[in-house]
Amino acid sequence: MTAVLTEPARQRAHAGTEPMRLLSVNNYHYRRGGAEVVFLEHNRLMRETGWDVTSFAMKHPKNLPSDSQASFVDEIEFGQSYGMLRTLRQAATLIYSFEARAKLRPLIAAQRPDVAHVHNIYHHISPSFLPLLKQAGIPVVMTLHDLKIACPAYTMLSQGKVCERCRGGRIYNVAVRRCVKNSIALSGLVMVETLIHRMLDIYDRNVDRFVVPSRFYIDKLVEWGWPRERFVHIPNFVDVNDFTPSHLPGEGFLYVGRLSPEKGLDTLIKAAAKAGQRVSLVGSGAMEPQLRSLAAETGGDVRFLGYLTGEGLHEAIRSSRAVVLPSTWYENGPISLMEAYALGRPVIGTRIGGIPEMVREDVTGLIVPPSDADALAAAMTRLAAMPAESAAAMSRAARALVEDEFSVERYRSRILSLYADIARGPT
């Protein structure tokens, strides 16, 4: 499709055949997590579509190469040992980065982007630069990988459980309950950050449209007071050409992701013992010692595979009977679920957040209540006992769903349509 041109693009079009220009912003410029995967893959896709893409991020030793890396802001890594002065300076930057404004201003003037697409920026780059884009007349899209514009702690989690106490402006709860790493200092800082950003109305005033991977997140943000018309539902995507599926039934069950409390892994280990099924955990995290102890106590066949990537990860997924997402928090649009489908594996997911939108019950997988070890054990037993023909049919359905709903082509069509829409004028 052909996108509607902004005025700078029209001027360039009359002068020659210059491509459309995208400014893409995210804290990190390497594959740190799901948000970074979407950010980097989005950039790659837009370049392949013919756009000129300029990245803006934070300096980091793991960053992938970028033509604009000289303009990146200085690294901030909370949890590192810094002196008092640097710690205070970083705390101020978390709230409002003057460096980001100063470094982005000449980049905007030089690149003259037609659209700016923002991903995760808080706590590092900060949203301080958003008014610059607004002043320059550049339409701004922001993908919401989490619930930060509503929840100060961004996860709607407190003490490991779903929490919505800050709804209605009661953001003091984030400090009272120490929602950020159980730290009163960090939680208080995040409370101040949220207060200042809301006083400046920095997201509402300066972002034209929010891209949201799950319908659940849209509904939740509307519940918290945001107008529904500010959001557009565009699911995340995977390039299926990067995944070779297997439709032969595997053995055992697999989890891929962080080893952290909100992922429901204690329930998964208990369910594995009840069902007498092998479970393998791919990933790392602070919860690993606790999970190992729980596995020993329950007598479950639980294997810790550590961090895997590339073909090693793909083979681990293909070898399993199904991938399990036992989350107890508001998941958005998990990339791990899409990758499982792309490799021909069905998914057992919990009925929470955006997961139920992505699992077709009895077609591409099964849905169980969160924190219910008995229900999860029953689902695992059912899939393990499923005849080979039925298992293969579920595998093919999973691959077909990702090819249809979560493909590169569908994502590109939806994004270009959005860019064309916002280029026509402000919402």
Side-chain angles (χ1 to χ4, degrees), residues 180-235:
V180 182
K181 297 184 178 181
N182 200 33
S183 165
I184 185 64
L186 287 176
S187 301
L189 183 60
V190 166
M191 181 188 70
V192 173
E193 171 207 32
T194 302
L195 179 63
I196 291 175
H197 290 172
R198 291 185 181 181
M199 287 174 59
L200 295 173
D201 217 8
I202 203 158
Y203 293 108
D204 189 25
R205 283 176 180 269
N206 300 296
V207 177
D208 293 282
R209 203 72 59 83
F210 295 97
V211 169
V212 191
S214 72
R215 293 185 179 88
F216 174 88
Y217 266 38
I218 293 177
D219 292 341
K220 185 57 62 178
L221 291 166
V222 170
E223 286 177 17
W224 281 54
W226 281 87
R228 188 175 293 273
E229 60 269 19
R230 298 298 300 277
F231 306 114
V232 57
H233 174 238
I234 301 181

Side-chain angles (χ1 to χ4, degrees), residues 38-363:
V38 173
F39 162 69
L40 293 168
E41 287 299 302
H42 177 93
N43 293 351
R44 178 168 71 100
L45 174 60
M46 295 309 297
R47 289 189 181 99
E48 292 173 353
T49 305
W51 284 54
D52 184 354
V53 180
T54 299
S55 297
F56 187 70
M58 180 180 70
K59 295 175 182 176
H60 196 280
K62 295 181 180 179
N63 274 355
L64 298 174
S66 171
D67 291 341
S68 54
Q69 60 191 21
S71 298
F72 288 7
V73 299
D74 290 339
E75 175 188 356
I76 298 176
E77 281 290 1
F78 293 99
Q80 301 290 330
S81 297
Y82 297 127
M84 178 62 73
L85 183 59
R86 185 174 178 184
T87 299
L88 291 174
R89 187 162 55 243
Q90 289 190 340
T93 299
L94 176 152
I95 296 171
Y96 197 92
S97 173
F98 288 96
E99 181 191 9
R101 283 178 60 93
K103 288 191 171 180
L104 196 57
R105 190 187 300 273
L107 197 62
I108 293 172
Q111 298 299 322
R112 295 176 295 158
D114 300 293
V115 178
H117 197 134
V118 178
H119 294 264
N120 280 357
I121 55 173
Y122 43 83
H123 299 176
H124 297 285
I125 294 175
S126 88
S128 63
F129 65 90
L130 292 177
L132 290 180
L133 298 171
K134 192 71 171 180
Q135 292 160 15
I138 299 167
V140 178
V141 172
M142 183 174 186
T143 294
L144 300 181
H145 298 281
D146 49 49
L147 293 159
K148 177 64 175 179
I149 65 169
C151 168
Y154 78 86
T155 59
M156 289 193 185
L157 274 175
S158 179
Q159 312 300 321
K161 297 182 179 180
V162 169
C163 172
E164 297 192 28
R165 289 177 176 83
C166 285
R167 190 196 296 192
R170 298 185 292 271
I171 63 172
Y172 57 83
N173 280 295
V174 71
V176 171
R177 296 183 58 79
R178 304 187 180 196
C179 296
V180 182
K181 297 184 178 181
N182 200 33
S183 165
I184 185 64
L186 287 176
S187 301
L189 183 60
V190 166
M191 181 188 70
V192 173
E193 171 207 32
T194 302
L195 179 63
I196 291 175
H197 290 172
R198 291 185 181 181
M199 287 174 59
L200 295 173
D201 217 8
I202 203 158
Y203 293 108
D204 189 25
R205 283 176 180 269
N206 300 296
V207 177
D208 293 282
R209 203 72 59 83
F210 295 97
V211 169
V212 191
S214 72
R215 293 185 179 88
F216 174 88
Y217 266 38
I218 293 177
D219 292 341
K220 185 57 62 178
L221 291 166
V222 170
E223 286 177 17
W224 281 54
W226 281 87
R228 188 175 293 273
E229 60 269 19
R230 298 298 300 277
F231 306 114
V232 57
H233 174 238
I234 301 181
N236 292 328
F237 71 101
V238 294
D239 188 343
V240 294
N241 295 318
D242 294 338
F243 299 84
T244 303
S246 170
H247 301 305
L248 297 174
E251 295 182 356
F253 295 85
L254 189 76
Y255 164 83
V256 181
R258 295 190 309 274
L259 306 187
S260 52
E262 74 277 6
K263 294 297 185 176
L265 299 176
D266 53 344
T267 301
L268 176 57
I269 289 175
K270 293 172 185 175
K274 289 175 179 288
Q277 297 294 326
R278 185 183 75 232
V279 167
S280 298
L281 306 182
V282 175
S284 59
M287 200 180 179
E288 183 171 338
Q290 179 184 338
L291 294 174
R292 286 183 178 274
S293 296
L294 180 61
E297 291 171 12
T298 59
D301 183 0
V302 182
R303 305 180 185 185
F304 293 82
L305 304 184
Y307 178 75
L308 295 178
T309 188
E311 186 55 31
L313 174 59
H314 290 187
E315 184 54 34
I317 295 172
R318 278 192 296 260
S319 300
S320 69
R321 174 63 63 139
V323 168
V324 184
L325 274 72
S327 293
T328 59
W329 75 297
Y330 295 152
E331 292 274 8
N332 195 357
I335 297 294
S336 60
L337 189 154
M338 297 179 187
E339 291 180 345
Y341 281 174
L343 291 163
R345 294 302 89 183
V347 170
I348 301 175
T350 44
R351 190 173 288 107
I352 193 169
I355 293 175
E357 300 170 28
M358 302 172 71
V359 178
R360 306 291 187 265
E361 187 92 44
D362 294 320
V363 177

